[in-house]
Amino acid sequence: ETGVTQSPTHLIKTRGQQVTLRCSSQSGHNTVSWYQQALGQGPQFIFQYYREEENGRGNFPPRFSGLQFPNYSSELNVNALELDDSALYLCASSRDRGVNQPQHFGDGTRLSIL
Amino acid sequence: AQTVTQSQPEMSVQEAETVTLSCTYDTSESDYYLFWYKQPPSRQMILVIRQEAYKQQNATENRFSVNFQKAAKSFSLKISDSQLGDAAMYFCAYRSSASNYQLIWGAGTKLIIKP
């Protein structure tokens, strides 16, 4: 069973640029959540996708957007990058969106903004 | 709004000893789940243990167990027979349908294992 995979592993961008991060969900999982983890902090919820629809969103501006594809893989897009966007971005998938469903995480993408 | 607090930024324990990590949370919900995740330097979040709020019995997974005090809104993690591989950041997290299904996380506790 293939776990959650994220790409790229590390990315360096400059302010004002746009970035796309990718996530392949674990086999049999239809729900993907994205989190932002700043250095030395706990993750913050960005949004969740369930069967290709956004199912919930945290306190992030509209320049953070996402997609989920028919195979349940997902993308996180961030426009007009700011220095504060520097963080580890974690993707997690689960078998369903239910509260009791454990989330399985990828290794994350480290995004650095210069 | 729901919040999760971990008051211990760092804890250390001698190998083979027992350590307890603290977590408190605030919610007005009665139905929710609590989790402990481990994040080693490899960055991947690994689920250690989970507790359903409506179950009074404390969850146990091998050397890991929790002390769930619902009235006190406390959810501590006990690690017995600590091993070098247990060294990591440990995060407490909360989830409910009222929280829009998102995991709400504490700030984490860094666990150091002394050989």
Side-chain angles (χ1 to χ4, degrees):
Chain A
E1 185 176 70
T2 305
V4 178
T5 58
Q6 292 186 243
S7 63
T9 303
H10 195 174
L11 202 52
I12 300 174
K13 291 285 189 179
T14 57
R15 278 189 304 174
Q17 284 189 312
Q18 178 266 344
V19 69
T20 297
L21 309 183
R22 294 178 175 82
C23 172
S24 293
S25 58
Q26 187 167 318
S27 176
H29 290 189
N30 60 22
T31 303
V32 172
S33 300
W34 286 92
Y35 295 86
Q36 180 195 68
Q37 186 179 18
L39 197 61
Q41 298 182 23
Q44 297 290 318
F45 175 71
I46 303 175
F47 44 57
Q48 180 183 86
Y49 278 84
Y50 169 68
R51 297 194 176 197
E52 303 178 60
E53 298 280 336
E54 186 179 291
N55 185 48
R57 190 178 181 93
N59 294 326
F60 280 81
R63 59 189 185 86
F64 285 78
S65 63
L67 281 174
Q68 188 177 33
F69 300 99
N71 66 355
Y72 303 128
S73 66
S74 178
E75 285 183 355
L76 164 64
N77 298 291
V78 187
N79 293 323
L81 287 167
E82 301 176 359
L83 292 177
D84 283 348
D85 296 333
S86 293
L88 179 67
Y89 288 84
L90 296 168
C91 169
S93 74
S94 54
R95 192 168 297 280
D96 208 336
R97 63 178 176 175
V99 173
N100 63 332
Q101 293 296 318
Q103 296 191 349
H104 300 261
F105 286 79
D107 290 342
T109 293
R110 173 75 66 192
L111 176 62
S112 301
I113 310 301
L114 302 179
Chain B
Q2 297 84 7
T3 58
V4 176
T5 302
Q6 293 178 251
S7 58
Q8 306 155 316
E10 187 174 295
M11 292 284 285
S12 63
V13 63
Q14 207 71 36
E15 193 176 3
E17 298 293 309
T18 295
V19 64
T20 298
L21 308 183
S22 301
C23 173
T24 58
Y25 59 95
D26 188 24
T27 184
S28 58
E29 300 299 310
S30 58
D31 185 19
Y32 51 86
Y33 286 75
L34 295 163
F35 305 84
W36 278 99
Y37 278 88
K38 167 185 176 181
Q39 187 178 39
S42 65
R43 310 186 319 199
Q44 185 182 33
M45 284 287 187
I46 301 166
L47 179 63
V48 174
I49 199 166
R50 66 174 177 168
Q51 175 77 42
E52 300 165 61
Y54 63 86
K55 285 191 176 180
Q56 294 189 355
Q57 186 173 7
N58 289 325
T60 300
E61 289 285 343
N62 300 315
R63 298 183 294 108
F64 299 87
S65 62
V66 299
N67 183 5
F68 174 49
Q69 301 289 329
K70 191 172 183 179
K73 296 180 182 174
S74 171
F75 182 61
S76 60
L77 174 69
K78 186 172 85 171
I79 306 174
S80 304
D81 185 26
S82 297
Q83 301 175 1
L84 293 177
D86 295 332
M89 285 293 294
Y90 284 80
F91 292 93
C92 177
Y94 166 101
R95 195 180 190 205
S96 76
S97 56
S99 70
N100 211 15
Y101 300 100
Q102 63 176 287
L103 279 167
I104 298 172
W105 302 78
T109 296
K110 182 178 181 180
L111 180 62
I112 298 168
I113 311 294
K114 298 177 182 177

